[in-house]
mmCIF file of all heavy atoms in Angstrom:
data_model
loop_
_atom_site.group_PDB
_atom_site.id
_atom_site.type_symbol
_atom_site.label_atom_id
_atom_site.label_comp_id
_atom_site.label_asym_id
_atom_site.label_seq_id
_atom_site.Cartn_x
_atom_site.Cartn_y
_atom_site.Cartn_z
ATOM 1 N N MET A 1238 5.080 -11.502 8.197
ATOM 2 C CA MET A 1238 4.509 -11.070 6.914
ATOM 3 C C MET A 1238 3.247 -11.872 6.620
ATOM 4 O O MET A 1238 3.221 -13.093 6.767
ATOM 5 C CB MET A 1238 5.531 -11.292 5.796
ATOM 6 C CG MET A 1238 5.075 -10.801 4.422
ATOM 7 S SD MET A 1238 6.227 -11.283 3.102
ATOM 8 C CE MET A 1238 7.735 -10.536 3.682
ATOM 9 N N SER A 1239 2.168 -11.192 6.213
ATOM 10 C CA SER A 1239 0.920 -11.875 5.922
ATOM 11 C C SER A 1239 1.042 -12.686 4.644
ATOM 12 O O SER A 1239 1.871 -12.428 3.773
ATOM 13 C CB SER A 1239 -0.218 -10.861 5.777
ATOM 14 O OG SER A 1239 -0.043 -10.110 4.597
ATOM 15 N N ASP A 1240 0.166 -13.731 4.515
ATOM 16 C CA ASP A 1240 0.150 -14.545 3.302
ATOM 17 C C ASP A 1240 -0.158 -13.687 2.083
ATOM 18 O O ASP A 1240 0.401 -13.899 1.003
ATOM 19 C CB ASP A 1240 -0.901 -15.661 3.433
ATOM 20 C CG ASP A 1240 -0.467 -16.725 4.435
ATOM 21 O OD1 ASP A 1240 0.748 -16.793 4.722
ATOM 22 O OD2 ASP A 1240 -1.331 -17.467 4.921
ATOM 23 N N SER A 1241 -1.076 -12.710 2.253
ATOM 24 C CA SER A 1241 -1.440 -11.847 1.123
ATOM 25 C C SER A 1241 -0.236 -11.053 0.635
ATOM 26 O O SER A 1241 -0.026 -10.881 -0.564
ATOM 27 C CB SER A 1241 -2.560 -10.881 1.531
ATOM 28 O OG SER A 1241 -3.733 -11.584 1.837
ATOM 29 N N LEU A 1242 0.581 -10.563 1.573
ATOM 30 C CA LEU A 1242 1.756 -9.787 1.194
ATOM 31 C C LEU A 1242 2.765 -10.668 0.470
ATOM 32 O O LEU A 1242 3.359 -10.263 -0.531
ATOM 33 C CB LEU A 1242 2.396 -9.158 2.432
ATOM 34 C CG LEU A 1242 3.636 -8.274 2.187
ATOM 35 C CD1 LEU A 1242 3.319 -7.193 1.170
ATOM 36 C CD2 LEU A 1242 4.120 -7.685 3.491
ATOM 37 N N ARG A 1243 2.972 -11.912 0.957
ATOM 38 C CA ARG A 1243 3.891 -12.824 0.282
ATOM 39 C C ARG A 1243 3.429 -13.091 -1.142
ATOM 40 O O ARG A 1243 4.215 -13.079 -2.091
ATOM 41 C CB ARG A 1243 3.980 -14.144 1.056
ATOM 42 C CG ARG A 1243 4.700 -14.037 2.391
ATOM 43 C CD ARG A 1243 4.978 -15.424 2.950
ATOM 44 N NE ARG A 1243 5.559 -15.349 4.270
ATOM 45 C CZ ARG A 1243 4.852 -15.418 5.400
ATOM 46 N NH1 ARG A 1243 3.537 -15.545 5.353
ATOM 47 N NH2 ARG A 1243 5.454 -15.349 6.576
ATOM 48 N N LYS A 1244 2.104 -13.332 -1.296
ATOM 49 C CA LYS A 1244 1.563 -13.621 -2.627
ATOM 50 C C LYS A 1244 1.713 -12.414 -3.546
ATOM 51 O O LYS A 1244 2.061 -12.541 -4.710
ATOM 52 C CB LYS A 1244 0.083 -14.016 -2.516
ATOM 53 C CG LYS A 1244 -0.145 -15.364 -1.838
ATOM 54 C CD LYS A 1244 -1.628 -15.623 -1.658
ATOM 55 C CE LYS A 1244 -1.886 -16.929 -0.913
ATOM 56 N NZ LYS A 1244 -3.335 -17.135 -0.655
ATOM 57 N N LEU A 1245 1.450 -11.211 -2.993
ATOM 58 C CA LEU A 1245 1.543 -10.018 -3.816
ATOM 59 C C LEU A 1245 2.974 -9.785 -4.266
ATOM 60 O O LEU A 1245 3.222 -9.426 -5.412
ATOM 61 C CB LEU A 1245 1.033 -8.797 -3.048
ATOM 62 C CG LEU A 1245 1.017 -7.481 -3.843
ATOM 63 C CD1 LEU A 1245 0.142 -7.609 -5.075
ATOM 64 C CD2 LEU A 1245 0.548 -6.339 -2.973
ATOM 65 N N ARG A 1246 3.946 -10.018 -3.390
ATOM 66 C CA ARG A 1246 5.330 -9.846 -3.784
ATOM 67 C C ARG A 1246 5.718 -10.861 -4.857
ATOM 68 O O ARG A 1246 6.459 -10.561 -5.783
ATOM 69 C CB ARG A 1246 6.248 -9.978 -2.554
ATOM 70 C CG ARG A 1246 6.153 -8.767 -1.631
ATOM 71 C CD ARG A 1246 7.157 -8.836 -0.509
ATOM 72 N NE ARG A 1246 7.131 -7.595 0.256
ATOM 73 C CZ ARG A 1246 7.860 -7.390 1.351
ATOM 74 N NH1 ARG A 1246 8.665 -8.323 1.797
ATOM 75 N NH2 ARG A 1246 7.786 -6.240 2.004
ATOM 76 N N HIS A 1247 5.158 -12.076 -4.734
ATOM 77 C CA HIS A 1247 5.441 -13.100 -5.734
ATOM 78 C C HIS A 1247 4.887 -12.700 -7.090
ATOM 79 O O HIS A 1247 5.605 -12.754 -8.099
ATOM 80 C CB HIS A 1247 4.838 -14.437 -5.299
ATOM 81 C CG HIS A 1247 4.888 -15.490 -6.374
ATOM 82 N ND1 HIS A 1247 6.072 -16.068 -6.786
ATOM 83 C CD2 HIS A 1247 3.901 -16.033 -7.137
ATOM 84 C CE1 HIS A 1247 5.818 -16.941 -7.747
ATOM 85 N NE2 HIS A 1247 4.515 -16.938 -7.983
ATOM 86 N N VAL A 1248 3.629 -12.252 -7.110
ATOM 87 C CA VAL A 1248 3.037 -11.896 -8.398
ATOM 88 C C VAL A 1248 3.692 -10.639 -8.960
ATOM 89 O O VAL A 1248 3.764 -10.465 -10.179
ATOM 90 C CB VAL A 1248 1.503 -11.710 -8.304
ATOM 91 C CG1 VAL A 1248 0.846 -13.003 -7.907
ATOM 92 C CG2 VAL A 1248 1.111 -10.591 -7.370
ATOM 93 N N SER A 1249 4.223 -9.759 -8.097
ATOM 94 C CA SER A 1249 4.928 -8.578 -8.592
ATOM 95 C C SER A 1249 6.186 -8.995 -9.341
ATOM 96 O O SER A 1249 6.522 -8.437 -10.385
ATOM 97 C CB SER A 1249 5.298 -7.650 -7.435
ATOM 98 O OG SER A 1249 4.151 -7.211 -6.765
ATOM 99 N N VAL A 1250 6.889 -9.995 -8.813
ATOM 100 C CA VAL A 1250 8.076 -10.505 -9.484
ATOM 101 C C VAL A 1250 7.705 -11.116 -10.823
ATOM 102 O O VAL A 1250 8.351 -10.879 -11.843
ATOM 103 C CB VAL A 1250 8.801 -11.541 -8.596
ATOM 104 C CG1 VAL A 1250 9.898 -12.226 -9.383
ATOM 105 C CG2 VAL A 1250 9.367 -10.866 -7.362
ATOM 106 N N VAL A 1251 6.612 -11.885 -10.837
ATOM 107 C CA VAL A 1251 6.153 -12.489 -12.079
ATOM 108 C C VAL A 1251 5.819 -11.416 -13.106
ATOM 109 O O VAL A 1251 6.145 -11.512 -14.285
ATOM 110 C CB VAL A 1251 4.928 -13.395 -11.840
ATOM 111 C CG1 VAL A 1251 4.350 -13.875 -13.164
ATOM 112 C CG2 VAL A 1251 5.318 -14.581 -10.968
#
Side-chain angles (χ1 to χ4, degrees):
M1238 183 187 302
S1239 70
D1240 289 341
S1241 296
L1242 181 54
R1243 290 191 185 94
K1244 291 175 183 176
L1245 183 59
R1246 287 186 174 176
H1247 171 70
V1248 297
S1249 299
V1250 171
V1251 173

